[in-house]
Amino acid sequence: MFLAYQRRCSGSQVAEVNDGADLFTIGENGEGLPLPWPDPLFPFILVNMGSGVSILRVDSAEERDFVRVGGTACGGGTFLGLARALTSATTFDEALELAATGDAKH
């Protein structure tokens, strides 16, 4: 697990030297707008989303200089699997639609 976090932190530093291509914001019309990397870069929060979510605080470019500050094992894959098993949803979009129109009291 630790090695996976180290690789994520190293990868974020690789992205820094790619002319900011991986850092963007969403404009008023929904378009992606590139942003420059901040200076100084550290500390920063790195969020990795997949079958779960991990939130890391990266304090410097030094190896192992990060801390996992939170997250959950329940991510998109878990959500979709449960939605398929418990509802009529077969896709992620269908599951989101059911969730948006559902009643939390049930």
Side-chain angles (χ1 to χ4, degrees):
M1 184 78 117
F2 178 81
L3 183 56
Y5 290 147
Q6 182 64 42
R7 287 182 180 154
R8 287 183 187 104
C9 292
S10 297
S12 65
Q13 293 164 28
V14 168
E16 177 186 5
V17 298
N18 285 335
D19 297 325
D22 295 329
L23 187 61
F24 65 94
T25 187
I26 303 298
E28 290 182 19
N29 297 320
E31 75 280 13
L33 302 171
L35 291 173
W37 282 92
D39 186 27
L41 177 61
F42 300 99
F44 65 86
I45 298 293
L46 176 65
V47 179
N48 183 60
M49 295 181 286
S51 58
V53 176
S54 286
I55 303 168
L56 308 174
R57 184 189 74 224
V58 182
D59 294 314
S60 76
E62 297 295 319
E63 193 169 317
R64 299 178 185 243
D65 195 11
F66 62 90
V67 176
R68 184 175 189 270
V69 294
T72 178
C74 184
T78 304
F79 171 73
L80 181 56
L82 287 169
R84 284 181 173 172
L86 299 172
T87 71
S88 61
T90 59
T91 67
F92 196 80
D93 287 337
E94 289 174 1
L96 288 178
E97 187 174 326
L98 287 172
T101 60
D103 184 349
K105 297 175 186 169
H106 293 275

